[in-house]
Every structure is written in C-alpha cells, then in structure tokens.
Amino acid sequence: MFRTALRNVLAHKARLLMTVLAVMLGVAFVSGTLVFTNTISDAYQNSSAKGFKGVDVAVQAKYQDSKGDRVGKVPDLTQAVLDKAGKVPGAASATGVVSGFTAIADKHGKLIGGGWQSAGGNYWGTEDARYPLVSGHAPSGADQVLIDSKTAERAGYKVGDTVRISVNGPVLTPTIAGIFTTDDGNVTAGGSLALFDTATAQQLFGKKGAYDEIDVTAKSGTGQAALKSQLDQALPQKLVETTTGKKLADDQAKQIADGMSGLRQGLLVFAGIALFVGTFIIANTFTMLVAQRTKELALLRAVGASRRQVTRSVLIEAFVVGAVAGVTGLAAGIGIGAGLRALMGSFGASVPDGPLVVTPGTVAAALAVGVVITMLAAWLPGRRAAKIPPVAAMSALHSAPTTKSLVLRNTIGALFSAAGVAVILAATTMSGSDGQAPMGLGAVLLIIGVFVLTPLLSRPLIAAAAPLLRGFGVSGKLARQNSVRNPRRTAATASALMIGLTLITGMTVMAGSLQKSIDKMASAAIRADYVVSMANRNPLSPDVAKKVAATDGVTASSPLRNAASRIDGGTEFLTGVDGSAIGRLTDLTVDSGSFKVGGSDVVVDDDTAKSHGWKAGSVFTVHYEDGKAQRLTVAGVYEGNQMIRGIMLDNTTLTPHVTDPADMQVMVKTADGATAATKDRLEKALGSNPAIQVQDKQDLSDSIAQVFTLILNMVYGLLAMAVIVAVLGVINTLAMSVFERSQEIGMLRAIGLDRKAVKRMVRLESLVISLFGGVLGIGLGVFFGWAAGRLVGAKMPTYELVLPWTRMAVFLLLAGTVGILAALWPARRAAKLNMLSAIKSE
C-alpha cells in the first residue's frame, strides 16, 4: 500500500501542485513570521545587552506610592547619593545619568527620529566611556551639544554646525561640539540622541542638582552581586533601589521578547487564517481525488486491502504533499522574514543590525504545520475512501449524497448558526471587556454553521443568478447547472473565499464606523480652534501655554495639566485647566449641576462620579503629590468621552502642589477661527518648533484616520494571503472538475458546442461560485462589524454604524475578478480537449 500511495502521488503531480502551493503559502507565512520576529527580537536584545555593558549596578529612585502621604512622587537622586555610591569599597566609578525627550530638527526643520526614539541625556565629564567621540570635544554650557553619528550622517551635520533642538517646548539653537558613536538600540533603529553637559541636562530635563539614575562600575575582582550588597548597605533603602547590570539586561530582553510576542501572535493569527482557508482546499482536493479513484480503491478492497490500509494510503499521500509543502514553505518563509525586515527599513522603521535568525523551533514548526494540517484535512476523505465497498468497482463513478446525510448536515449547520447568532447577540448587551470572549466564540460558531449550511444555501443563491446567466445562452445554462451539481464541492470552494471577505468587510465596517464616531466626538466636545501638543505626546513646557496666550488673535486658551493624586485610598489623575476659559473651549454635556471650575469647585465626568458615588454638591478630600490635602466640591457632572474625561480643577488650585508642572496639550480659541494664516502665526510664535504640533479639528480627525488607514491597509495586506490561497482553491477545483467531466465536455463538443462556448461555460461557473462566496462573506462581515460596533458603542456614545457601500461593491467586484482569473487556465484546458479522446475516457 505504501508503494501504491507513492505511485498515486507521482501519477497526480499536476493535480496536487495547487494543494502543495496552498499549504506552502500558509507554512511560509508561519515560518516567515517566526523568522522575522526572532530576528528583530535578537537584534534588539543584542543591542540592549551592549547598552548595559558598562553598568555593573544601577541605582534608581524608588516610587513612593504605597502608604506614604506623597502621591506619584519620585525622590531625587542627589549629588550626595552619587558621592556615597562612588565611595563604596567595590566601586571603581559612579556616573550620574540624566535623560529625557530631545527632538533634533534636520536642516529643513523636520523632526529626526520617530517620537519616542528622539532622546537626550548628559555627557559625563570630559571623557565618557559610554559615548566614544568620533570628532570634536565634550560639550560645555547651554550653547553646545553632541549628536550621534547616525543622526549626523542622515541630516548632513558636522562639528561646528548650528542645530535646532527642542526638549519640552522652546527651541534651542546650540552648536554641535562633537559627534559620538553609541550602541543605543533606539539610535540604531532610526532614532536620535543628543547629549549636553551634566549641568545643562539637569536644567533642561527638570533635574536641578539631581539624576535619573546612577550607574556604578565594579573594581576588578568585585562581582555585581557583591557590589549591589555594598550599595544596599550604604544607601537609604526607603528611597532607592539597586539592580545588577545582568538583571537589567535580562529584564530588557524579557520586555523586548514580550513586545515581539504581541506582534508574533498578531501575524500568526493571519497565518492561521490562511492555513484554515487552505484546509478547505486540501480537503476538497483529496475528496475529488478519492471520487475519481472510486473503482481503483474498490478493486484494492476486492483483492484483499483492508479499510485501514486504504485510509493509510490516502494519509501517506497527504504526508508526502505536506512534507514537500513544509520544506518549500520554510525556504519561502526565510525569504519572507528577510523581506519584512528590509520592508521596515524602507518605511523608515529600521532595526538594529544583526543576522537572520532561523531557530530549530522555526524549522520544526514549519514542517509540523505542513504535515499535520495536510494530514488532518485528508483524514475525512481517507475515511470515506475506506468505506467504499468492493461492489462499487462495477458502479458509477459518483454517487449522490443520501437524504439522511444531507438532513443531518443541515441540522448541524442550523444549530451551529443559531447558537452563534444567539451568543453574538448576547455579547452585544455586555460591557466592552466582558463581551469580547463571547463575541469571538459566537463568531467561530456562526462561521462553522454557515460553512456547514453552504451546500443548502448554494442552490437558492446561485438560482438567483439564473436570469443573468440566460443571456449567455447554452453556456450560461450549463454553468448554472454545473455549479449546483455538487453542492458540497461548491460550498468548500466558495467558503475559502467567504472567510477572507468576511474578515476584510468586518474590519472595514469597524474602521469606518469608529472614524465617524471620533469625528463626531471631536466636533461635539471641542469648541477650540486648535490643540497644541508635542509630536510624541510628551508633556509640554508651561512656557508654551504662555506664548500661545500672548499670540495676536488668541481670544481664549487653556493648558491641560495632568497630576496624580490620592482620593478615597486610590490613585486618581487630576486635569488642571484655566477655569475662566475652559467653558469657551469645550462643549461638554452637563448631566447635573453647572460647568463651574475655580477655587475649590471642580467638574467630574460621569464614570468617575459613578465610581465614587458623587453627584453635584458632593464634597471629597484630595491628597496632592506634595502630601497636602484639600476639600473640593463637585460643581457639576459632565458626560465624558475618549477625548475629554476626568476631574477638572483650576490650575491656580493645582499647580502649587505640583513639583514639575507640565501640560499634555493647550486648547486655543482665536478671533479668526481655524485659518492657514492663524495656524502659521501660532507656529511662528512657538519658534517653528518641529516637535510641537498645532492641529485644528480636521487635523485631529486626519491624524486619527491615518492610524485607522494604516492598520486597515496592514490587515488588507495580511488577509491578501488568505485570498490568494482561496484563488488557488478555485483554480484547483475547476481544473479537477474539468478532468472529471472530460467525457461530458467531449460529448458537448461533438454535438456542436464550440471552444469559445466551452471556455465561457467554465468561466461563468467560476464566476458564479466566486460571487456566491463573496455575497456570503460580505453579509457575514457586515453582521460581525455591526455586532462589534455595538460592543464598542457601550463605551463610545457617538458611535454609529457606517456601511461602506462603495468598498463593499469593490469587494464584490474583487470576488468576481477572482473567479474570472481563476478560470483562465481550466477554461483553456477544457477548450483544448480532443473530443474523440475525451469521449473514450472513463
């Protein structure tokens, strides 16, 4: 039986090619994802380890957030702490580290690096081993800076040039005193690093006379653990904590691995979808192969082959196909991994240098996925083959499904579909987080149910296309009859396309609806003409709000200043605003009380009020970060949203209790409204700072839309793999169907059907099947989009369902195009059949 199985594989090389391709694409996606994420993770981990090479023990401030009366306050690492750390017996040196966000502009005024990757710090003394100088000298004073060599190369800077820099608002124009090299992973990945002398860095980053971290190196012969123990004894443990360089590197590696796991899981989900779609094709292919070999298998049974041997022969064929697909998929996956890395570089999101990583786990996963998926998909056709009685050798090639089997299938499909719809509808009544798992379960049940019911649904839906097919004469009539002749095969072929279009349509409906709701939220909640913020969402300097308020044409402005506090034993973030102006800058619905902010009067969003049991007139005690307490009165409760929420109080009340005031954004109302001239005037007032954004409502909406569009395009690209696999399935089904019907096509040719009509018949059959899958997919996608929207709408009052009719029409057109393109080769093959040879074939 083993030799028989191998002969069958070799005899049906052309028929199994599409199956190999379908499995190979799925395996390539899986192995490519693993290669890509392992490579990126390994590169960042190696780069991170280099960054900790000169650190034996790091001393950091301990966050005071437990039972103390200071809320959200991190104690300073003072010069005294640094001196103590440097004097412990095992310490060779102690370096004070100061760091923060620093934006560097290129010669055209544009920001270099990507937001969080734009960093700044201090250069220790006249020679800092962390940052070897390539040229120039150490910085001295506020008018000198060092920049990394990669940034200098990208922007064309050299020593002596003046560069525009922003730390938290105002623009600085220091001279480049020197250029250095660094192993910092962010710099290697396309970011930038600027270094000032220590005193300047402390001034710029709000750490006057203090440090963010103290890095201690050990003397020769002193281990990291011993040095840590000495530091623990010498330093105040209530205020600081010590960590060995090895643990820092290990923790950083774990964080990188965790970050990559999210990306890996997301990509593997789409790889799984492609494999799931490929499973239909494999099962379809082996079902047709078994049907074509009914007489052969029956004769094997007649000469003594057992059922187990017949099943084993089919599974051996599947194993060979899966092994070939696994090996070729692995090779293609390595290429995909390398290509994804290069693609990131072309988008400006470069990563640290490093080799392509192909682990034994990746190889094992590729082979296992290829073999296991193929054998599982072939198992059911193998069982059917084993049940063929020897007497079937004398019967017809095909036998129609029994009424009992069809009734059982339709009953199971109806139960799964009903259960799926019921679970989804129940999930829409739950809150966002509680309803996610039931929603996912309901979606899986419904998709399985529709797939099982697809043979039943195919007849009425395809019959609806009959009037259109009549226009193509005999070819159209034959195409309709062929497409419903074997409902199960039609269902399996259409379902592969259905799954891809379900996901694409559902994501499109969700993205469009969310975008519309956020547009409504922005227009409904904000009266301000402009919102000023940092490009990387870091806090702004309070000077920005002062400069904005002093700009010609500004009639009202308010910074939004965040600060942590403790209320009722828990941490709550407060938002400081200009109480006299905030009412003219926002348009929030007040549920009770009045929108009055000033002195001890505050306004609270409805969710926060509900969680504390507050209403208009309620009084509560707040503990600020400096440890002082104050009684505040709830003047009003407003409807919060994703853009504005929380406890609002006047900045004159909040700011005295905040050590380092910083604003998340500044809202601005102008006399002329949102015009290009007004925006230009505001930008110039802020020094044309590349790190600061001045956005009107449309800019805010466009920036959000850009995020949705990027995510949606990524999803489209990933799901394209599933659509490609579905196309291969249509081609495979039609090609094997043509082979099965060789005698029938020969007879049609003999009684007068010309080659053009034969081609048209095959193309129309493919078109009908593809459109059938497209209609099912779009219908399910709209339903899932609506249901997920109901879940989101519970937390977003402005949410409304938006049906993208144009895009859905494009998706349906895409399904039809898939059908036409998939039929090109099978149609040509059918038209070229020799009628006499075909008539004689069995």
Side-chain angles (χ1 to χ4, degrees), residues 351-649:
V351 296
D353 297 329
L356 204 64
V357 178
V358 183
T359 64
T362 300
V363 176
L367 295 176
V369 166
V371 172
V372 172
I373 291 293
T374 309
M375 292 186 70
L376 283 176
W379 177 73
L380 189 58
R383 278 194 70 217
R384 288 179 187 157
K387 290 181 179 179
I388 297 173
V391 73
M394 304 301 296
S395 66
L397 187 62
H398 303 291
S399 58
T402 64
T403 303
K404 181 181 177 181
S405 68
L406 290 174
V407 169
L408 179 62
R409 179 182 181 123
N410 293 339
T411 302
I412 292 172
L415 290 174
F416 268 91
S417 298
V421 170
V423 172
I424 289 172
L425 291 178
T428 60
T429 64
M430 303 178 184
S431 63
S433 56
D434 294 337
Q436 289 177 0
M439 183 75 72
L441 174 62
V444 171
L445 290 174
L446 182 55
I447 287 177
I448 293 173
V450 171
F451 168 67
V452 175
L453 282 176
T454 305
L456 179 66
L457 298 173
S458 65
R459 290 186 179 275
L461 288 178
I462 292 176
L468 296 175
L469 294 174
R470 287 196 192 102
F472 295 95
V474 175
S475 296
K477 184 177 181 180
L478 290 170
R480 186 183 66 80
Q481 291 175 346
N482 288 335
S483 57
V484 295
R485 176 188 296 182
N486 192 329
R488 289 183 175 179
R489 184 184 303 171
T490 298
T493 307
S495 294
L497 192 58
M498 176 193 78
I499 292 168
L501 285 177
T502 295
L503 295 168
I504 290 173
T505 305
M507 290 296 299
T508 305
V509 170
M510 277 291 296
S513 300
L514 284 171
Q515 179 60 48
K516 181 68 178 291
S517 66
I518 289 171
D519 287 348
K520 286 177 63 178
M521 188 186 299
S523 60
I526 299 176
R527 284 181 184 169
D529 295 316
Y530 293 100
V531 174
V532 180
S533 62
M534 293 291 282
N536 68 333
R537 304 304 176 191
N538 266 16
L540 288 161
S541 164
D543 291 338
V544 172
K546 295 175 184 177
K547 289 183 178 180
V548 167
T551 304
D552 290 340
V554 173
T555 58
S557 67
S558 173
L560 271 64
R561 186 165 296 167
N562 282 6
S565 70
R566 187 171 293 281
I567 300 173
D568 295 339
T571 300
E572 288 280 0
F573 281 89
L574 308 174
T575 301
V577 298
D578 185 330
S580 62
I582 193 66
R584 287 179 285 164
L585 298 166
T586 59
D587 189 15
L588 298 167
T589 301
V590 179
D591 292 336
S592 62
S594 61
F595 198 82
K596 179 185 176 184
V597 180
S600 62
D601 289 331
V602 302
V603 292
V604 184
D605 73 284
D606 46 3
D607 285 342
T608 303
K610 184 178 179 181
S611 66
H612 289 280
W614 296 337
K615 57 185 178 180
S618 296
V619 179
F620 63 92
T621 301
V622 60
H623 294 270
Y624 297 108
E625 70 172 38
D626 63 354
K628 294 182 179 179
Q630 184 179 2
R631 299 280 285 174
L632 299 177
T633 302
V634 178
V637 178
Y638 66 91
E639 288 185 10
N641 55 53
Q642 300 297 319
M643 303 187 78
I644 301 177
R645 60 171 57 190
I647 304 170
M648 286 191 205
L649 69 164

Side-chain angles (χ1 to χ4, degrees), residues 186-209:
N186 289 335
V187 173
T188 313
S192 63
L193 179 61
L195 300 177
F196 307 89
D197 67 48
T198 299
T200 301
Q202 288 174 327
Q203 178 73 27
L204 291 174
F205 300 132
K207 290 286 180 181
K208 296 179 183 178

Side-chain angles (χ1 to χ4, degrees), residues 714-768:
M714 288 177 61
V715 171
Y716 284 166
L718 294 169
L719 289 175
M721 184 72 73
V723 175
I724 292 171
V725 174
V727 172
L728 291 174
V730 177
I731 296 172
N732 207 20
T733 300
L734 288 172
M736 299 189 76
S737 179
V738 166
F739 176 82
E740 282 183 359
R741 301 191 329 244
S742 296
Q743 190 177 58
E744 175 186 316
I745 293 171
M747 290 294 294
L748 290 171
R749 291 288 317 283
I751 61 175
L753 198 67
D754 60 20
R755 290 187 172 180
K756 285 185 178 180
V758 171
K759 284 184 180 179
R760 193 181 303 123
M761 175 187 72
V762 176
R763 288 173 187 160
L764 288 174
E765 180 183 347
S766 176
L767 178 64
V768 167

Side-chain angles (χ1 to χ4, degrees), residues 312-332:
R312 195 182 302 145
S313 71
V314 175
L315 291 178
I316 290 170
E317 292 181 47
F319 175 82
V320 173
V321 170
V324 171
V327 172
T328 54
L330 174 62

